[in-house]
Coordinates of all heavy atoms in Angstrom, one line a residue:
M1 N 12.8 -4.6 15.5 CA 12.5 -4.9 14.2 C 13.0 -6.3 13.9 O 14.1 -6.6 14.2 CB 13.1 -3.9 13.2 CG 12.7 -4.1 11.8 SD 13.4 -2.9 10.6 CE 12.7 -1.4 11.1
S2 N 12.1 -7.1 13.2 CA 12.5 -8.5 12.9 C 13.6 -8.5 11.8 O 13.9 -7.5 11.1 CB 11.3 -9.2 12.4 OG 11.0 -8.8 11.1
L3 N 14.3 -9.6 11.7 CA 15.3 -9.8 10.6 C 14.7 -9.5 9.3 O 15.3 -8.8 8.4 CB 15.9 -11.1 10.7 CG 17.1 -11.4 9.8 CD1 18.2 -10.4 10.0 CD2 17.6 -12.8 10.0
K4 N 13.5 -10.0 9.0 CA 12.8 -9.8 7.7 C 12.6 -8.3 7.5 O 12.8 -7.8 6.4 CB 11.6 -10.6 7.7 CG 11.1 -11.0 6.4 CD 9.7 -11.6 6.4 CE 9.8 -13.1 6.6 NZ 8.5 -13.8 6.4
G5 N 12.1 -7.6 8.6 CA 11.9 -6.2 8.5 C 13.2 -5.4 8.2 O 13.2 -4.5 7.5
Q6 N 14.2 -5.8 8.9 CA 15.5 -5.1 8.6 C 16.0 -5.3 7.2 O 16.5 -4.4 6.6 CB 16.6 -5.7 9.6 CG 16.3 -5.3 11.0 CD 17.3 -5.9 12.0 OE1 18.3 -6.5 11.6 NE2 17.1 -5.7 13.3
L7 N 15.8 -6.5 6.7 CA 16.3 -6.8 5.3 C 15.4 -5.9 4.3 O 16.0 -5.3 3.4 CB 16.1 -8.3 4.9 CG 16.4 -8.7 3.5 CD1 17.9 -8.3 3.2 CD2 16.2 -10.1 3.3
A8 N 14.1 -5.9 4.6 CA 13.2 -5.1 3.7 C 13.6 -3.6 3.8 O 13.6 -2.9 2.8 CB 11.8 -5.3 4.1
Y9 N 13.9 -3.1 5.0 CA 14.4 -1.7 5.1 C 15.7 -1.5 4.4 O 15.8 -0.4 3.6 CB 14.6 -1.4 6.6 CG 15.2 -0.1 6.9 CD1 14.4 1.1 6.8 CD2 16.5 0.1 7.1 CE1 14.9 2.3 7.1 CE2 17.1 1.3 7.4 CZ 16.3 2.4 7.3 OH 16.8 3.7 7.6
L10 N 16.6 -2.3 4.5 CA 17.9 -2.2 3.7 C 17.7 -2.2 2.2 O 18.2 -1.4 1.5 CB 18.9 -3.2 4.1 CG 19.5 -3.0 5.5 CD1 20.3 -4.2 5.9 CD2 20.2 -1.7 5.7
L11 N 16.9 -3.2 1.7 CA 16.6 -3.3 0.3 C 15.9 -2.0 -0.2 O 16.1 -1.5 -1.3 CB 15.7 -4.5 0.0 CG 16.5 -5.8 0.2 CD1 15.4 -7.0 0.1 CD2 17.5 -6.0 -0.9
N12 N 15.0 -1.4 0.6 CA 14.3 -0.2 0.3 C 15.3 0.9 0.1 O 15.1 1.7 -0.8 CB 13.2 0.1 1.3 CG 12.2 1.1 0.8 OD1 11.7 1.0 -0.3 ND2 12.1 2.2 1.5
R13 N 16.2 1.0 1.0 CA 17.2 2.1 0.9 C 18.0 2.1 -0.3 O 18.4 3.2 -0.8 CB 18.2 2.0 2.1 CG 17.5 2.1 3.5 CD 17.6 3.3 4.2 NE 18.9 3.9 4.2 CZ 19.1 5.2 4.5 NH1 18.1 5.9 4.9 NH2 20.3 5.7 4.5
V14 N 18.2 0.9 -1.0 CA 18.9 0.9 -2.2 C 18.0 0.6 -3.4 O 18.5 0.4 -4.5 CB 20.0 -0.2 -2.2 CG1 21.1 0.1 -1.1 CG2 19.4 -1.6 -1.9
G15 N 16.7 0.8 -3.2 CA 15.7 0.7 -4.3 C 15.4 -0.7 -4.8 O 14.9 -0.9 -5.9
L16 N 15.6 -1.7 -4.0 CA 15.4 -3.1 -4.4 C 14.2 -3.8 -3.6 O 14.0 -5.0 -3.8 CB 16.7 -3.9 -4.2 CG 17.8 -3.5 -5.1 CD1 19.1 -4.3 -4.8 CD2 17.5 -3.6 -6.6
A17 N 13.6 -3.1 -2.8 CA 12.5 -3.6 -2.0 C 11.2 -3.8 -2.9 O 11.1 -3.1 -3.9 CB 12.1 -2.8 -0.8
W18 N 10.3 -4.7 -2.5 CA 9.1 -4.9 -3.2 C 8.0 -4.2 -2.5 O 8.0 -4.1 -1.2 CB 8.8 -6.4 -3.3 CG 9.7 -7.1 -4.2 CD1 10.9 -7.6 -3.8 CD2 9.6 -7.3 -5.5 NE1 11.5 -8.2 -4.9 CE2 10.7 -8.0 -6.0 CE3 8.6 -7.0 -6.5 CZ2 10.9 -8.4 -7.3 CZ3 8.8 -7.4 -7.8 CH2 9.9 -8.1 -8.2
W19 N 7.1 -3.6 -3.2 CA 5.9 -2.9 -2.6 C 4.7 -3.4 -3.3 O 4.6 -3.8 -4.4 CB 6.1 -1.4 -2.9 CG 7.1 -0.7 -2.0 CD1 8.4 -0.7 -2.2 CD2 6.9 0.0 -0.8 NE1 9.1 0.0 -1.3 CE2 8.1 0.4 -0.4 CE3 5.7 0.4 -0.1 CZ2 8.3 1.2 0.8 CZ3 5.9 1.1 1.0 CH2 7.1 1.5 1.4
I20 N 3.5 -3.2 -2.6 CA 2.2 -3.5 -3.1 C 1.6 -2.1 -3.5 O 1.5 -1.2 -2.6 CB 1.3 -4.2 -2.1 CG1 1.8 -5.5 -1.7 CG2 -0.2 -4.3 -2.7 CD1 1.1 -6.2 -0.6
E21 N 1.3 -1.9 -4.7 CA 0.6 -0.7 -5.2 C -0.8 -1.0 -5.5 O -1.2 -1.9 -6.3 CB 1.3 -0.2 -6.5 CG 0.6 1.1 -7.0 CD 1.2 1.5 -8.3 OE1 0.8 0.9 -9.3 OE2 2.1 2.4 -8.3
V22 N -1.7 -0.4 -4.7 CA -3.2 -0.6 -4.9 C -3.8 0.7 -5.4 O -3.6 1.8 -4.8 CB -3.8 -1.1 -3.6 CG1 -5.3 -1.2 -3.8 CG2 -3.2 -2.3 -3.1
T23 N -4.5 0.6 -6.5 CA -5.2 1.7 -7.0 C -6.7 1.5 -6.9 O -7.2 0.4 -7.2 CB -4.9 1.9 -8.5 OG1 -3.5 2.0 -8.7 CG2 -5.5 3.1 -9.1
T24 N -7.5 2.5 -6.5 CA -8.9 2.4 -6.4 C -9.5 3.5 -7.2 O -9.0 4.6 -7.3 CB -9.4 2.6 -4.9 OG1 -9.0 3.9 -4.4 CG2 -8.8 1.5 -4.0
Q25 N -10.7 3.2 -7.8 CA -11.4 4.2 -8.6 C -12.3 5.1 -7.8 O -12.5 6.2 -8.2 CB -12.2 3.5 -9.7 CG -11.3 2.8 -10.7 CD -10.4 3.8 -11.4 OE1 -10.9 4.8 -11.9 NE2 -9.1 3.4 -11.5
S26 N -12.8 4.6 -6.7 CA -13.7 5.4 -5.8 C -13.4 5.0 -4.4 O -13.7 3.9 -4.0 CB -15.2 5.1 -6.1 OG -15.9 5.9 -5.3
P27 N -12.7 5.8 -3.7 CA -12.2 7.1 -4.1 C -11.0 6.9 -5.0 O -10.3 5.9 -5.0 CB -11.8 7.8 -2.8 CG -11.4 6.7 -1.9 CD -12.3 5.6 -2.3
K28 N -10.6 7.9 -5.8 CA -9.5 7.9 -6.6 C -8.2 8.0 -5.8 O -7.9 9.1 -5.3 CB -9.5 9.0 -7.7 CG -10.5 8.7 -8.8 CD -10.3 9.7 -9.9 CE -11.1 9.2 -11.1 NZ -10.3 8.5 -12.1
C29 N -7.6 6.9 -5.5 CA -6.4 6.8 -4.6 C -5.4 5.8 -5.1 O -5.8 4.8 -5.8 CB -6.8 6.5 -3.2 SG -7.8 7.7 -2.4
V30 N -4.2 6.0 -4.7 CA -3.1 5.0 -4.9 C -2.5 4.8 -3.5 O -2.2 5.8 -2.8 CB -2.0 5.5 -5.9 CG1 -1.0 4.4 -6.0 CG2 -2.6 5.8 -7.2
Y31 N -2.5 3.6 -3.1 CA -1.9 3.2 -1.8 C -0.7 2.3 -2.0 O -0.7 1.5 -2.9 CB -2.9 2.3 -0.9 CG -4.3 3.0 -0.7 CD1 -5.3 2.8 -1.5 CD2 -4.4 3.8 0.4 CE1 -6.6 3.3 -1.3 CE2 -5.7 4.4 0.7 CZ -6.7 4.2 -0.2 OH -8.0 4.7 0.0
Y32 N 0.3 2.5 -1.2 CA 1.5 1.7 -1.2 C 1.7 1.0 0.1 O 1.6 1.7 1.2 CB 2.8 2.5 -1.5 CG 2.8 3.1 -2.9 CD1 2.3 4.3 -3.2 CD2 3.3 2.3 -3.9 CE1 2.3 4.8 -4.5 CE2 3.3 2.7 -5.2 CZ 2.9 4.0 -5.5 OH 2.9 4.4 -6.8
F33 N 1.9 -0.3 0.1 CA 2.1 -1.1 1.3 C 3.4 -1.8 1.2 O 3.7 -2.5 0.2 CB 1.0 -2.1 1.5 CG -0.4 -1.5 1.5 CD1 -1.2 -1.5 0.4 CD2 -0.9 -1.0 2.7 CE1 -2.5 -0.9 0.4 CE2 -2.2 -0.4 2.8 CZ -2.9 -0.4 1.6
G34 N 4.3 -1.7 2.2 CA 5.6 -2.3 2.2 C 6.5 -1.6 3.1 O 6.1 -0.9 3.9
P35 N 7.8 -1.8 2.9 CA 8.4 -2.6 2.0 C 8.5 -4.1 2.3 O 8.4 -4.4 3.5 CB 9.9 -2.0 1.9 CG 10.1 -1.5 3.4 CD 8.7 -1.0 3.8
F36 N 8.7 -4.9 1.3 CA 8.9 -6.3 1.5 C 10.2 -6.8 0.9 O 10.7 -6.2 -0.1 CB 7.7 -7.1 0.8 CG 6.4 -6.7 1.4 CD1 5.7 -5.8 0.7 CD2 5.9 -7.3 2.5 CE1 4.4 -5.4 1.2 CE2 4.7 -7.0 3.0 CZ 3.9 -6.0 2.4
A37 N 10.8 -7.8 1.5 CA 12.1 -8.3 1.0 C 12.0 -9.1 -0.3 O 12.9 -9.3 -1.0 CB 12.8 -9.2 2.1
S38 N 10.8 -9.6 -0.6 CA 10.6 -10.4 -1.8 C 9.2 -10.2 -2.3 O 8.3 -9.8 -1.6 CB 10.8 -11.9 -1.5 OG 9.7 -12.4 -0.7
S39 N 9.0 -10.5 -3.6 CA 7.7 -10.4 -4.2 C 6.7 -11.5 -3.6 O 5.5 -11.2 -3.4 CB 7.7 -10.6 -5.7 OG 8.2 -11.9 -6.1
E40 N 7.2 -12.6 -3.2 CA 6.5 -13.7 -2.6 C 5.9 -13.2 -1.3 O 4.7 -13.5 -1.0 CB 7.2 -14.9 -2.5 CG 7.6 -15.7 -3.8 CD 8.8 -15.0 -4.4 OE1 9.6 -14.2 -3.8 OE2 9.0 -15.3 -5.6
E41 N 6.7 -12.6 -0.5 CA 6.3 -12.0 0.8 C 5.2 -11.0 0.6 O 4.1 -11.0 1.3 CB 7.4 -11.4 1.5 CG 7.0 -10.9 2.9 CD 8.2 -10.1 3.6 OE1 9.3 -10.1 3.0 OE2 7.9 -9.6 4.7
A42 N 5.3 -10.1 -0.4 CA 4.3 -9.1 -0.7 C 3.0 -9.7 -1.1 O 1.9 -9.4 -0.7 CB 4.8 -8.1 -1.7
K43 N 3.1 -10.8 -1.9 CA 1.9 -11.5 -2.5 C 1.1 -12.2 -1.3 O -0.1 -12.2 -1.3 CB 2.3 -12.4 -3.6 CG 2.6 -11.7 -4.8 CD 3.2 -12.7 -5.9 CE 3.7 -12.0 -7.1 NZ 4.4 -12.9 -8.0
E44 N 1.9 -12.7 -0.4 CA 1.2 -13.3 0.8 C 0.4 -12.3 1.6 O -0.6 -12.7 2.2 CB 2.3 -14.0 1.7 CG 2.9 -15.2 1.1 CD 4.1 -15.7 2.0 OE1 4.3 -15.3 3.1 OE2 4.8 -16.6 1.5
E45 N 0.9 -11.1 1.7 CA 0.3 -10.1 2.5 C -0.9 -9.4 1.8 O -1.8 -8.7 2.4 CB 1.3 -9.0 3.0 CG 2.4 -9.6 3.9 CD 1.8 -10.1 5.2 OE1 0.9 -9.6 5.7 OE2 2.4 -11.2 5.7
L46 N -0.9 -9.4 0.5 CA -1.8 -8.7 -0.4 C -3.3 -8.9 0.0 O -4.0 -8.0 0.1 CB -1.6 -9.0 -1.8 CG -2.5 -8.4 -2.8 CD1 -2.5 -6.9 -2.8 CD2 -2.2 -8.9 -4.3
P47 N -3.8 -10.2 0.2 CA -5.2 -10.3 0.6 C -5.7 -9.5 1.8 O -6.8 -9.0 1.8 CB -5.3 -11.8 0.8 CG -4.2 -12.4 0.0 CD -3.1 -11.4 0.1
G48 N -4.8 -9.4 2.8 CA -5.3 -8.6 4.0 C -5.5 -7.1 3.6 O -6.4 -6.5 4.1
Y49 N -4.6 -6.6 2.8 CA -4.8 -5.1 2.5 C -6.0 -5.0 1.6 O -6.8 -4.0 1.8 CB -3.5 -4.6 1.7 CG -2.3 -4.6 2.5 CD1 -1.2 -5.4 2.2 CD2 -2.2 -3.8 3.7 CE1 0.0 -5.4 3.0 CE2 -1.1 -3.8 4.4 CZ 0.0 -4.6 4.1 OH 1.1 -4.6 4.9
L50 N -6.3 -5.9 0.7 CA -7.5 -5.8 -0.2 C -8.7 -5.9 0.6 O -9.7 -5.2 0.4 CB -7.4 -6.9 -1.3 CG -6.3 -6.7 -2.3 CD1 -6.3 -7.9 -3.3 CD2 -6.3 -5.4 -2.9
E51 N -8.7 -6.8 1.6 CA -9.8 -7.0 2.5 C -10.1 -5.7 3.3 O -11.3 -5.3 3.4 CB -9.6 -8.1 3.5 CG -10.7 -8.4 4.4 CD -10.4 -9.6 5.3 OE1 -9.6 -10.5 5.0 OE2 -11.0 -9.6 6.4
D52 N -9.1 -5.1 3.8 CA -9.3 -3.8 4.5 C -9.9 -2.7 3.6 O -10.8 -2.0 4.0 CB -7.9 -3.3 5.0 CG -7.4 -4.1 6.2 OD1 -8.2 -4.9 6.8 OD2 -6.2 -3.9 6.5
L53 N -9.5 -2.7 2.4 CA -10.0 -1.7 1.4 C -11.5 -2.0 1.1 O -12.3 -1.1 0.9 CB -9.2 -1.6 0.2 CG -7.9 -0.8 0.4 CD1 -7.0 -1.0 -0.8 CD2 -8.1 0.6 0.6
N54 N -11.8 -3.3 1.0 CA -13.2 -3.7 0.7 C -14.1 -3.3 1.9 O -15.2 -2.8 1.7 CB -13.3 -5.2 0.4 CG -12.9 -5.6 -1.0 OD1 -13.3 -4.9 -1.9 ND2 -12.1 -6.6 -1.1
H55 N -13.6 -3.4 3.1 CA -14.4 -3.1 4.3 C -14.6 -1.6 4.3 O -15.5 -1.1 5.0 CB -13.7 -3.5 5.6 CG -13.8 -5.0 5.8 ND1 -15.0 -5.6 6.1 CD2 -12.9 -5.9 5.9 CE1 -14.8 -6.9 6.2 NE2 -13.5 -7.1 6.1
E56 N -13.7 -0.8 3.7 CA -13.8 0.7 3.6 C -14.6 1.1 2.4 O -14.7 2.3 2.1 CB -12.4 1.3 3.6 CG -11.6 1.1 4.9 CD -12.3 1.8 6.1 OE1 -13.0 2.7 5.9 OE2 -12.0 1.3 7.2
S57 N -15.3 0.1 1.7 CA -16.1 0.4 0.6 C -15.4 1.0 -0.6 O -16.0 1.7 -1.4 CB -17.3 1.3 1.0 OG -18.1 0.7 2.0
A58 N -14.2 0.7 -0.8 CA -13.4 1.2 -1.9 C -13.9 0.4 -3.2 O -14.3 -0.8 -3.0 CB -11.9 1.0 -1.8
E59 N -14.0 1.0 -4.3 CA -14.5 0.4 -5.5 C -13.4 0.5 -6.6 O -12.6 1.4 -6.6 CB -15.7 1.1 -6.0 CG -16.9 1.0 -5.0 CD -18.1 1.7 -5.5 OE1 -18.1 2.4 -6.6 OE2 -19.1 1.7 -4.7
G60 N -13.5 -0.5 -7.6 CA -12.5 -0.5 -8.7 C -11.1 -0.7 -8.2 O -10.1 0.0 -8.6
I61 N -10.9 -1.7 -7.3 CA -9.6 -2.0 -6.8 C -8.7 -2.8 -7.7 O -9.1 -3.8 -8.2 CB -9.7 -2.7 -5.4 CG1 -10.6 -1.9 -4.4 CG2 -8.4 -3.1 -4.8 CD1 -11.0 -2.7 -3.2
Q62 N -7.5 -2.4 -7.9 CA -6.5 -3.0 -8.7 C -5.2 -3.0 -7.9 O -4.9 -2.0 -7.3 CB -6.3 -2.4 -10.1 CG -7.5 -2.5 -10.9 CD -7.2 -1.9 -12.3 OE1 -6.4 -1.1 -12.5 NE2 -8.0 -2.4 -13.3
A63 N -4.5 -4.2 -8.0 CA -3.2 -4.2 -7.2 C -2.1 -4.8 -8.1 O -2.4 -5.7 -8.9 CB -3.4 -5.1 -5.9
V64 N -0.9 -4.4 -7.8 CA 0.3 -4.9 -8.4 C 1.4 -4.9 -7.4 O 1.5 -4.1 -6.6 CB 0.6 -4.1 -9.7 CG1 1.0 -2.7 -9.3 CG2 1.7 -4.7 -10.5
V65 N 2.2 -6.0 -7.5 CA 3.4 -6.1 -6.7 C 4.6 -5.7 -7.6 O 4.8 -6.2 -8.7 CB 3.6 -7.5 -6.1 CG1 4.9 -7.6 -5.4 CG2 2.5 -7.8 -5.2
K66 N 5.4 -4.7 -7.1 CA 6.5 -4.2 -8.0 C 7.6 -3.6 -7.1 O 7.4 -3.3 -5.9 CB 6.0 -3.2 -8.9 CG 5.5 -1.9 -8.3 CD 5.0 -1.0 -9.4 CE 4.6 0.4 -8.9 NZ 4.2 1.3 -10.0
R67 N 8.8 -3.5 -7.7 CA 9.9 -2.8 -7.1 C 9.7 -1.3 -7.3 O 9.6 -0.9 -8.5 CB 11.2 -3.3 -7.6 CG 11.6 -4.6 -7.0 CD 13.0 -4.9 -7.4 NE 13.6 -6.0 -6.5 CZ 14.4 -6.9 -7.0 NH1 14.7 -6.9 -8.2 NH2 14.8 -7.8 -6.1
C68 N 9.8 -0.5 -6.3 CA 9.7 0.9 -6.4 C 10.1 1.6 -5.1 O 10.3 0.8 -4.1 CB 8.3 1.4 -6.8 SG 7.0 1.0 -5.6
Q69 N 10.1 2.9 -5.0 CA 10.4 3.6 -3.8 C 9.4 4.7 -3.8 O 9.7 5.9 -4.1 CB 11.8 4.2 -3.8 CG 12.9 3.2 -3.5 CD 14.3 3.8 -3.4 OE1 14.7 4.4 -4.3 NE2 14.9 3.6 -2.2
P70 N 8.2 4.5 -3.3 CA 7.2 5.5 -3.2 C 7.6 6.7 -2.3 O 8.1 6.5 -1.2 CB 5.9 4.8 -2.7 CG 6.4 3.6 -2.0 CD 7.7 3.2 -2.6
A71 N 7.3 7.9 -2.8 CA 7.6 9.1 -2.0 C 6.5 9.3 -1.0 O 6.8 9.9 0.1 CB 7.7 10.3 -2.9
E72 N 5.3 8.9 -1.3 CA 4.1 9.0 -0.5 C 3.5 7.6 -0.4 O 3.5 6.9 -1.3 CB 3.2 10.0 -0.9 CG 3.7 11.4 -1.0 CD 2.6 12.4 -1.6 OE1 1.5 12.4 -1.0 OE2 2.9 13.0 -2.6
L73 N 2.9 7.3 0.8 CA 2.2 6.0 1.0 C 0.8 6.0 0.5 O 0.2 5.0 0.1 CB 2.3 5.5 2.4 CG 3.7 5.3 2.9 CD1 3.7 4.8 4.4 CD2 4.5 4.3 2.0
T74 N 0.2 7.2 0.5 CA -1.2 7.3 0.0 C -1.3 8.6 -0.8 O -0.9 9.7 -0.3 CB -2.2 7.4 1.2 OG1 -2.0 6.3 2.1 CG2 -3.6 7.5 0.7
I75 N -1.8 8.5 -2.0 CA -2.0 9.6 -2.9 C -3.5 9.7 -3.2 O -4.1 8.8 -3.8 CB -1.2 9.4 -4.2 CG1 0.3 9.2 -3.8 CG2 -1.4 10.6 -5.2 CD1 1.1 8.7 -5.0
F76 N -4.0 10.8 -2.9 CA -5.5 11.1 -3.1 C -5.7 12.0 -4.3 O -5.0 13.0 -4.4 CB -6.1 11.8 -1.9 CG -6.0 11.0 -0.6 CD1 -5.1 11.4 0.3 CD2 -6.9 10.0 -0.4 CE1 -5.0 10.7 1.5 CE2 -6.8 9.3 0.8 CZ -5.9 9.6 1.7
D77 N -6.6 11.6 -5.2 CA -6.9 12.5 -6.3 C -8.2 13.2 -6.0 O -8.5 14.2 -6.6 CB -7.1 11.6 -7.6 CG -5.8 11.2 -8.2 OD1 -4.8 11.8 -7.9 OD2 -5.9 10.3 -9.0
E78 N -9.0 12.8 -5.0 CA -10.2 13.4 -4.6 C -10.4 13.5 -3.1 O -11.3 12.9 -2.5 CB -11.4 12.6 -5.2 CG -11.4 12.4 -6.7 CD -12.6 11.5 -7.1 OE1 -13.5 11.2 -6.2 OE2 -12.7 11.1 -8.3
P79 N -9.5 14.2 -2.4 CA -9.6 14.1 -1.0 C -10.9 14.7 -0.4 O -11.3 14.3 0.7 CB -8.4 15.0 -0.5 CG -8.1 15.8 -1.7 CD -8.4 15.0 -2.9
E80 N -11.5 15.6 -1.1 CA -12.8 16.1 -0.5 C -13.9 15.1 -0.5 O -14.9 15.3 0.2 CB -13.2 17.4 -1.3 CG -13.6 17.1 -2.8 CD -12.5 16.9 -3.7 OE1 -11.3 17.1 -3.4 OE2 -12.8 16.6 -4.9
R81 N -13.8 14.0 -1.2 CA -14.8 13.0 -1.3 C -14.6 11.8 -0.4 O -15.4 10.9 -0.3 CB -15.0 12.5 -2.7 CG -15.5 13.6 -3.7 CD -15.6 13.0 -5.0 NE -16.5 11.8 -5.0 CZ -16.8 11.1 -6.0 NH1 -16.3 11.4 -7.2 NH2 -17.6 10.0 -6.0
L82 N -13.6 11.8 0.4 CA -13.3 10.7 1.3 C -14.3 10.6 2.5 O -14.6 11.6 3.1 CB -11.9 10.8 1.9 CG -10.8 10.6 0.9 CD1 -9.4 10.8 1.6 CD2 -10.8 9.3 0.2
S83 N -14.7 9.4 2.8 CA -15.5 9.3 4.0 C -14.6 9.3 5.2 O -13.4 9.2 5.1 CB -16.3 7.9 3.9 OG -15.4 6.8 4.1
A84 N -15.2 9.3 6.4 CA -14.5 9.3 7.6 C -13.7 8.0 7.8 O -12.6 8.0 8.2 CB -15.4 9.5 8.8
G85 N -14.3 6.9 7.4 CA -13.7 5.6 7.5 C -12.5 5.5 6.5 O -11.4 5.0 6.9
Q86 N -12.6 6.1 5.3 CA -11.5 6.0 4.4 C -10.3 7.0 4.9 O -9.2 6.7 4.7 CB -11.9 6.5 3.0 CG -12.8 5.4 2.4 CD -13.6 5.9 1.2 OE1 -14.0 7.1 1.2 NE2 -13.9 5.0 0.3
Q87 N -10.7 8.1 5.5 CA -9.7 9.0 6.1 C -8.9 8.2 7.2 O -7.7 8.3 7.3 CB -10.3 10.2 6.6 CG -10.8 11.2 5.5 CD -11.5 12.4 6.0 OE1 -11.7 12.5 7.2 NE2 -11.9 13.2 5.1
R88 N -9.6 7.5 8.0 CA -9.0 6.7 9.1 C -8.0 5.7 8.5 O -6.9 5.5 9.0 CB -10.0 6.1 10.0 CG -10.6 7.0 11.0 CD -11.4 6.2 12.1 NE -12.4 5.2 11.5 CZ -13.6 5.6 11.1 NH1 -14.0 6.8 11.3 NH2 -14.4 4.7 10.6
F89 N -8.5 5.0 7.5 CA -7.7 4.0 6.8 C -6.4 4.6 6.3 O -5.3 4.0 6.5 CB -8.4 3.3 5.7 CG -7.6 2.2 5.1 CD1 -7.5 1.0 5.7 CD2 -7.0 2.4 3.9 CE1 -6.7 -0.1 5.2 CE2 -6.2 1.4 3.3 CZ -6.1 0.2 3.9
S90 N -6.5 5.7 5.6 CA -5.3 6.3 5.0 C -4.3 6.8 6.1 O -3.1 6.7 5.9 CB -5.6 7.5 4.1 OG -6.1 8.6 4.9
Q91 N -4.8 7.2 7.3 CA -3.9 7.6 8.3 C -3.2 6.4 9.0 O -2.1 6.4 9.4 CB -4.7 8.3 9.4 CG -5.2 9.7 9.0 CD -6.2 10.3 9.9 OE1 -6.6 9.7 10.8 NE2 -6.6 11.5 9.6
Q92 N -3.9 5.2 9.0 CA -3.3 4.0 9.5 C -2.2 3.5 8.7 O -1.3 2.8 9.1 CB -4.4 2.9 9.7 CG -5.4 3.3 10.8 CD -6.5 2.3 10.7 OE1 -6.6 1.4 9.9 NE2 -7.5 2.5 11.7
T93 N -2.2 3.7 7.3 CA -1.2 3.2 6.4 C 0.1 3.9 6.6 O 1.1 3.4 6.1 CB -1.7 3.3 4.9 OG1 -1.9 4.6 4.6 CG2 -2.9 2.4 4.7
L94 N 0.1 5.1 7.2 CA 1.3 5.8 7.3 C 2.1 5.3 8.5 O 3.0 4.8 8.7 CB 1.1 7.3 7.6 CG 0.3 8.0 6.5 CD1 0.1 9.5 6.9 CD2 1.1 8.0 5.2

């Protein structure tokens, strides 16, 4: 693990890491990407995650960078409506 990764891991353990929270309307999901050592680092990575979700045909995408400790990395409100591609994406985020 890189030094940056180790720092993010330690910050996450004490609740000070930064995460990207992405909410989609279709499917109704919340995705968490991280942890990151700084908000700037998270913001640099954000376009790649949004691009991946666009390729998976997600709609109504909103993103925020914040400090948190998500219990789950992907939260589905409508799991029965997920396409095979979206299911693959959610498995990759874990």
Side-chain angles (χ1 to χ4, degrees):
M1 184 183 295
S2 71
L3 184 58
K4 207 185 269 190
Q6 290 175 8
L7 177 59
Y9 173 79
L10 290 173
L11 289 171
N12 192 53
R13 301 258 313 167
V14 296
L16 296 176
W18 292 88
W19 287 80
I20 298 170
E21 178 186 78
V22 178
T23 305
T24 59
Q25 292 302 310
S26 179
K28 284 192 171 263
C29 293
V30 179
Y31 302 95
Y32 289 95
F33 302 98
F36 299 96
S38 69
S39 62
E40 291 79 15
E41 181 185 357
K43 289 173 185 174
E44 288 174 11
E45 299 296 327
L46 178 59
Y49 295 118
L50 297 179
E51 183 178 333
D52 288 346
L53 287 168
N54 279 319
H55 285 295
E56 295 296 335
S57 301
E59 297 176 0
I61 300 171
Q62 295 183 335
V64 62
V65 173
K66 65 182 188 177
R67 281 189 164 143
C68 63
Q69 284 183 302
E72 298 179 56
L73 298 181
T74 305
I75 302 166
F76 299 104
D77 286 341
E78 303 177 8
E80 68 279 357
R81 294 182 54 184
L82 293 178
S83 71
Q86 290 162 333
Q87 289 173 359
R88 280 193 307 277
F89 180 79
S90 68
Q91 292 167 355
Q92 292 171 358
T93 62
L94 302 176

